[in-house]
Amino acid sequence: MSALDIPAIRSRFPALRREHNGGPVAYFDGPGGTQVPTDVIEAMARVLSDGVSNLGTRFATARYASEITQEARAAMADFFGSKPDEVVFGQNMTSLTFAMSRALSRTWQPGDEIVVTDLDHDANRSPWVLAARDRGVTVRVAHFDPATGTLDPRAVAGVINPRTRLVAVTYASNALGTIVDVAAIAALARAANAVSYVDAVHFAPHGPIDVREIGCDFLVASAYKFFGPHTGCLIGRADLLASLESYKVVPAPTDGPAKWETGTQSFESLAGVTAAVDYLASLGSGTARRARLVNAMGAIQIYEAELSERFLAGIGQLDHIRLYGPPAGRRA
């Protein structure tokens, strides 16, 4: 049984008090993301209420914007097991991936190859396929097993070769719920001297993530999937973020993660990101925030497994329903 106090948790989400046709609602819209706790709503409203400026000046409101940004980087570093200077923010995961595809493709030459999978969301396919087309680079596709809904790392290994420059893979399928062994695939990419790019959008709400353990070069997610606002986050290896050339305006920073953040960021959203991470940490135990997050996400996994097994067992008994993907209880 999960150690989470579910009634107490539900009380922190105003959207769960919504009614439709006189009854309570359930939010099953995965692509629509999650609802947010009061903590996030209040954090975002506070920034808008207090007033904030832009980065780069000595005004008090500009220092406030800097503090918000630094706090958000620290929060996401704890969430992903990275360092603050490896955290880049953007409008969403898709925008960040398009930006990184433009930058990485500058290093590709005709005759090079990249690898994508047919288990991935299009946001981790089209940016790379389009960049490959523009650079005269071959796209190889690793296929998942439609009978089991799983992606075997050996299928990825089969399309990697000495010409491979990038391997893009999902952490968890948004369609089937399959969890992929991204550490094994990142290791395959590393052995081929290729860059690994992990889409963690659909896994981030469901379990702890440690980019060091995965060993990937880049990992992306969106805060609206884990009780935050619509803001994307990219974790990149510091040396790659520093060495790659970004598409940016002249006044933008020339180093650090900020060189990848085009234009003025939504500071109220960044405050909401920090609040979402702190909310999740409040559900766990431990001294440091990272420890509390890992503990909380472990408890969330247990609770979600209970709900999933009950749901899949029940729906699987309906004659007019066909289930796709791994069997219940075996999403990995």
Side-chain angles (χ1 to χ4, degrees):
M1 294 292 291
S2 170
L4 299 174
D5 185 344
I6 302 305
I9 290 173
R10 289 182 63 85
S11 71
R12 298 170 72 170
F13 288 77
L16 297 183
R17 295 194 287 271
R18 180 175 180 174
E19 293 188 353
H20 183 72
N21 292 333
V25 299
Y27 296 89
F28 285 117
D29 183 10
T34 54
Q35 308 311 309
V36 301
T38 303
D39 315 53
V40 171
I41 297 169
E42 292 178 347
M44 296 178 70
R46 187 160 50 249
V47 173
L48 296 172
S49 177
D50 290 348
V52 69
S53 181
N54 206 343
L55 301 170
T57 72
R58 297 183 179 180
F59 298 126
T61 47
R63 293 197 299 271
Y64 184 30
S66 179
E67 292 169 2
I68 292 170
T69 304
Q70 292 170 5
E71 289 171 357
R73 290 199 207 286
M76 292 312 301
D78 284 345
F79 189 79
F80 289 119
S82 66
K83 297 179 181 179
D85 64 355
E86 297 174 318
V87 176
V88 177
F89 292 110
Q91 182 180 8
N92 47 55
M93 173 270 177
T94 305
S95 298
L96 287 167
T97 303
F98 268 112
M100 194 53 63
S101 72
R102 290 196 297 270
L104 278 170
S105 65
R106 279 179 163 179
T107 68
W108 303 343
Q109 302 295 328
D112 288 343
E113 299 185 359
I114 66 169
V115 172
V116 298
T117 88
D118 56 9
L119 187 65
D120 272 78
H121 189 286
D122 195 57
N124 202 32
R125 281 177 57 104
S126 281
W128 307 113
V129 171
L130 292 173
R133 179 199 66 186
D134 294 344
R135 297 292 294 177
V137 169
T138 299
V139 178
R140 302 291 184 192
V141 180
H143 300 290
F144 76 98
D145 183 347
T148 63
T150 58
L151 177 66
D152 193 322
R154 289 174 294 185
V156 180
V159 290
I160 292 177
N161 60 57
R163 296 184 298 277
T164 303
R165 297 292 172 262
L166 169 91
V167 179
V169 64
T170 186
Y171 203 144
S173 167
N174 67 304
L176 302 179
T178 307
I179 298 173
V180 177
D181 187 351
V182 289
I185 294 173
L188 291 170
R190 188 164 55 252
N193 292 317
V195 170
S196 54
Y197 195 94
V198 175
D199 173 7
V201 168
H202 292 280
F203 182 81
H206 306 296
I209 295 175
D210 190 323
V211 293
R212 296 288 181 266
E213 290 185 0
I214 295 170
C216 57
D217 298 304
F218 293 97
L219 183 142
V220 279
S222 292
Y224 80 101
K225 295 292 187 178
F226 49 88
F227 316 117
H230 285 78
T231 294
C233 179
L234 177 144
I235 306 299
R237 251 178 46 204
D239 60 322
L240 284 175
L241 292 178
S243 63
L244 289 169
E245 185 178 357
S246 62
Y247 283 76
K248 69 178 191 66
V249 295
V250 173
T254 57
D255 55 15
K259 83 174 189 179
W260 298 96
E261 296 169 345
T262 55
T264 302
Q265 296 298 297
S266 171
F267 298 112
E268 64 273 19
S269 291
L270 295 186
V273 167
T274 301
V277 172
D278 285 339
Y279 156 73
L280 283 167
S282 75
L283 304 180
S285 60
T287 303
R289 180 166 57 187
R290 171 65 182 172
R292 296 197 303 274
L293 284 165
V294 172
N295 179 265
M297 297 309 291
I300 288 171
Q301 278 187 313
I302 294 172
Y303 178 67
E304 286 188 346
E306 296 170 358
L307 290 181
S308 297
E309 288 173 9
R310 178 180 176 183
F311 173 78
L312 292 172
I315 200 171
Q317 295 177 11
L318 302 178
D319 294 336
H320 60 288
I321 297 292
R322 180 176 179 181
L323 289 175
Y324 293 89
R330 287 168 46 204
R331 295 279 112 183

